[in-house]
Amino acid sequence: MIKNLRLLHRMYVVFVIVFLFLIFYPFYYITSRKTEWYGALNKLRKANSLLCSFLTGIFFRINLDEPLEKGETYIYCANHTSNLDVMILCILAKGRFHFMGKEELLRHPMFKIFFSTVDIPVKRESRMSAFRAFKRAGDNLERGMSLVIFPEGGIGEEHYPPALMPFKNGAFRLAIEKGVRIVPVTMNVWKKMFDDGAKYGSRPGICDIYVHKAVSTKDLKLGEEDLLKDQVFEIINSKLAV
């Protein structure tokens, strides 16, 4: 009975997400045409995400170790256990920002418009694709555009309850190279909806999101990305709910 209710709620969540996307799509299309309009595009993504949260009854309690500085450029690094994670980062990220994600999202009917414009697709198994993706991300950071990335590289579908998977190096090397602070984010969302919800369904409630104190990279040099990676891993892992 409970599982059926959760699967029913998941169907409702999918309906809300698709319905709101169709409502917002004309505005996404317009604001994705020029790079100078990406700030407005992100505001639309934030509004869309807040509406999804309200209508589905899945709310996010954001706990800040320190306020995020207005106008500051960050690399947001978060754990990844749910399709809701993107929505959460759209809500909490400040100013101009963009995501980096798997190349398959270019073929997704809802994400294509973003990953062919503001966001950066990367082919995981291709070094050349990764090089180009991080080069573009670095250029955007220099222009004051924050980066949002899931350093695990995806959702570990085989682990339930989920465990934090090893991080990839790219974001940490980039942070050191560009002298940008990393904001570790711990998201305890999987109990409300794990992955896309197809297997376990979803349910309304409050998810705790921990935005940790930004980690400075100014005293680090290239070659020390493993130290930074391990530090951020431990920070995120410290607040994961089991």
Side-chain angles (χ1 to χ4, degrees):
M1 178 64 176
I2 292 176
K3 183 176 181 180
N4 289 338
L5 287 173
R6 293 189 64 151
L7 291 174
L8 186 63
H9 183 264
R10 186 255 181 184
M11 291 174 62
Y12 171 66
V13 169
V14 171
F15 168 78
V16 168
I17 290 172
V18 172
F19 176 75
L20 287 177
F21 176 78
L22 293 174
I23 296 295
F24 275 82
Y25 183 82
F27 306 102
Y28 285 147
Y29 181 82
I30 293 169
T31 54
S32 66
R33 295 305 92 190
K34 294 184 179 181
T35 56
E36 56 265 34
W37 294 344
Y38 286 170
L41 174 62
N42 283 335
K43 288 180 180 178
L44 288 169
R45 291 206 276 191
K46 182 171 294 192
N48 190 345
S49 299
L50 287 168
L51 274 173
C52 282
S53 171
F54 175 76
L55 292 175
T56 61
I58 302 176
F59 300 104
F60 311 117
R61 182 164 50 204
I62 298 176
N63 306 276
L64 290 164
D65 277 355
E66 64 178 14
L68 295 170
E69 296 180 18
K70 188 176 181 180
E72 181 77 7
T73 304
Y74 297 108
I75 294 179
Y76 297 88
C77 285
N79 64 303
H80 196 18
T81 61
S82 172
N83 282 6
L84 299 177
D85 295 341
V86 172
M87 201 161 71
I88 296 165
L89 268 301
C90 284
I91 292 171
L92 69 86
K94 299 294 184 182
R96 297 170 63 239
F97 63 88
H98 62 311
F99 288 82
M100 183 181 288
K102 59 186 179 182
E103 188 184 48
E104 293 88 330
L105 294 171
L106 276 172
R107 298 187 291 275
H108 192 284
M110 292 179 63
F111 288 108
K112 179 180 178 180
I113 190 170
F114 306 119
F115 277 90
S116 60
T117 55
V118 60
D119 296 333
I120 301 176
V122 58
K123 190 174 183 180
R124 296 172 182 171
E125 61 274 14
S126 169
R127 289 188 177 182
M128 183 55 67
S129 175
F131 173 81
R132 287 196 297 263
F134 280 100
K135 174 66 168 62
R136 180 180 163 192
D139 292 343
N140 287 342
L141 287 170
E142 290 180 355
R143 289 192 286 266
M145 195 171 186
S146 294
L147 174 66
V148 182
I149 193 167
F150 302 108
E152 294 168 278
I155 297 175
E157 300 174 14
E158 69 278 10
H159 297 295
Y160 188 86
L164 198 59
M165 298 186 297
F167 288 174
K168 301 183 184 304
N169 277 6
F172 306 98
R173 180 179 178 84
L174 185 62
I176 294 172
E177 183 181 331
K178 301 301 179 183
V180 175
R181 290 193 290 168
I182 288 183
V183 178
V185 182
T186 305
M187 300 187 289
N188 290 308
V189 185
W190 62 272
K191 289 184 178 180
K192 301 299 180 285
M193 189 171 88
F194 176 67
D195 197 6
D196 62 359
K199 187 173 183 179
Y200 301 103
S202 63
R203 64 185 176 93
I206 298 175
C207 308
D208 276 307
I209 313 300
Y210 297 94
V211 183
H212 303 277
K213 183 178 179 181
V215 178
S216 174
T217 62
K218 67 178 182 179
D219 295 326
L220 296 173
K221 57 182 181 292
L222 289 176
E224 296 181 319
E225 49 266 26
D226 281 342
L227 295 175
L228 180 61
K229 178 180 69 174
D230 292 344
Q231 181 183 1
V232 173
F233 183 98
E234 291 302 323
I235 291 171
I236 293 174
N237 200 42
S238 69
K239 288 291 188 179
L240 278 180
V242 179

